[in-house]
Amino acid sequence: MQRRHFSLASVSLALALAGGSALAQTKWDLAAAYPATNFHSENLAQLAADVDKATGGKLKITVHANATLFKLPEIKRAVQGGQAQAGEVLMGALQNEWQIYGADGLPFLADSYDESVKLWKAQKPLIEKKLAEQGMLLLYAVAWPPQGIYTKKPINSAADLKGIKWRAYSPATARIADLVGAQPVTVQAAELQQALATGVVESTMTSGATGVDSKLFEHLKYYYDTQAWLPKNMVIVNRKAFDALDKPTQDALLKAAADAEVRGLAASKRIDAETKEKLKANGMQVLPPSPTLKADMQKVGQTMLTEWLEKAGPEGKSVVDAFRR
């Protein structure tokens, strides 16, 4: 009889210990929209590995790349609602919700890495406040390489883009199409290659990185390196999920995020150079914009900045003033 009690006690203890270890481990899903081989996704994978190591496996983050968990337009809402604990979103895609998200998508406002960092410092306090109001927390943000124009045929001015089927991925890229007389077609990164193959789009304005990811050289022949703007991806977490972590785990996550921001910026700069070489190696002509094309696009940028300031009001003015200071 005594032995039986002992064995039951052992089983109870084993179950309690197993339950304890299961409770001690927290699993998070991080929704992302770009291919696993994209530098942003690789950075997220490194973040997850760093957190795993720093917390001794207490917090396990699974990165769902290439829009396999949620499509890009759905990610922020999913994090806000707690369907995913974390997500990576292209800030400019959220501009219609709140204009400040779109500041880094304004052509020629911030057109270099140094300027992009400066603009982020001006945007960040407002974005952190907005996310906090919506029950979220900002982890970090990383800029894409500068944006250029991909076309099938050579172009010398904005007039050459008239009537062309132009892939838009944000309110700003759709507005550029309007201003140059192109036809905007909204296509997310995960569907871009198919859209080109089926003729749904025949031109786009994006980075060298997306050009390589989506093998744009299979369908388009020219890349004009306008370096018009550097849009940013931001990584956000659900505040309740973050608050449920113990303090050492929170600290480990924030430290890993700070490291990811530094690492991501360095990767973006490296990828900018590498992907242009890859485009050339695959037969694409990588060219500087003609003076006319550059002047035309700068005029578009000025129009868009004026419009944006009208919509963004005092908040927008404060961001631009802080950036230009």
Side-chain angles (χ1 to χ4, degrees):
M1 250 343 240
Q2 201 173 359
R3 180 176 291 177
R4 186 159 177 243
H5 284 153
F6 174 73
S7 63
L8 281 172
S10 302
V11 169
S12 300
L13 179 65
L15 285 171
L17 287 171
S21 68
L23 285 171
Q25 188 184 83
T26 302
K27 292 184 176 179
W28 276 16
D29 289 311
L30 194 159
Y34 301 94
T37 52
N38 179 272
F39 78 98
H40 283 291
S41 304
E42 288 174 347
N43 200 22
L44 291 170
Q46 187 61 55
L47 169 85
D50 289 352
V51 169
D52 189 13
K53 189 177 176 186
T55 63
K58 245 190 195 176
L59 178 57
K60 295 266 188 195
I61 300 173
T62 302
V63 177
H64 301 269
N66 211 31
T68 50
L69 190 61
F70 292 101
K71 286 187 161 61
L72 179 66
E74 302 162 355
I75 292 175
K76 179 175 171 283
R77 202 179 304 118
V79 175
Q80 197 170 343
Q83 293 123 300
Q85 291 80 12
E88 181 189 52
V89 290
L90 178 73
M91 286 199 314
L94 304 169
Q95 186 179 336
N96 283 344
E97 178 191 321
W98 185 51
Q99 289 297 317
I100 305 304
Y101 286 131
D104 61 358
L106 295 166
F108 302 104
L109 176 63
D111 56 0
S112 69
Y113 281 103
D114 287 349
E115 295 278 283
S116 170
V117 169
K118 232 174 108 184
L119 181 58
W120 178 229
K121 281 180 183 159
Q123 271 176 299
K124 191 177 176 180
L126 278 77
I127 284 172
E128 285 180 322
K129 185 171 176 280
K130 176 63 78 176
L131 289 171
E133 286 165 8
Q134 297 179 332
M136 288 174 286
L137 180 81
L138 173 76
L139 280 189
Y140 69 90
V142 168
W144 284 89
Q147 308 287 288
I149 302 172
Y150 289 87
T151 57
K152 279 188 172 180
K153 295 171 185 168
I155 55 169
N156 191 52
S157 69
D160 295 332
L161 294 167
K162 202 167 173 58
I164 210 165
K165 285 183 275 188
W166 171 279
R167 174 250 178 169
Y169 61 82
S170 66
T173 49
R175 183 63 183 136
I176 291 168
D178 290 340
L179 289 169
V180 298
Q183 295 175 37
V185 185
T186 301
V187 177
Q188 300 306 329
E191 285 103 40
L192 181 52
Q193 202 180 12
Q194 191 186 355
L196 284 161
T198 53
V200 171
V201 295
E202 52 191 353
S203 177
T204 186
M205 199 162 185
T206 190
S207 66
T210 298
V212 170
D213 282 347
S214 300
K215 298 182 179 170
L216 298 191
F217 43 77
E218 290 181 357
H219 307 284
L220 305 173
K221 294 293 161 226
Y222 297 87
Y223 178 65
Y224 292 93
D225 191 13
T226 51
Q227 306 204 3
W229 72 93
L230 292 80
K232 288 184 288 289
N233 281 3
M234 65 174 175
V235 180
I236 53 176
V237 297
N238 179 283
R239 186 77 217 199
K240 280 183 187 164
F242 180 81
D243 288 345
L245 304 172
D246 61 32
K247 183 75 168 62
T249 306
Q250 288 179 350
D251 291 345
L253 176 61
L254 295 175
K255 164 78 170 70
D259 291 346
E261 185 159 289
V262 173
R263 183 176 60 237
L265 179 62
S268 183
K269 290 176 180 177
R270 189 183 72 247
I271 291 293
D272 184 33
E274 284 177 8
T275 51
K276 283 175 202 166
E277 289 308 313
K278 282 182 186 169
L279 293 175
K280 283 181 198 169
N282 282 283
M284 188 170 264
Q285 290 202 47
V286 176
L287 304 162
S290 71
T292 307
L293 180 59
K294 182 137 190 165
D296 288 348
M297 296 312 287
Q298 281 174 331
K299 205 187 289 177
V300 165
Q302 196 49 56
T303 301
M304 287 175 65
L305 177 59
T306 304
E307 292 173 347
W308 183 82
L309 283 167
E310 280 172 16
K311 286 182 188 167
E315 281 182 326
K317 187 176 184 307
S318 75
V319 168
V320 174
D321 288 349
F323 164 67
R324 286 181 165 161
R325 212 166 280 139

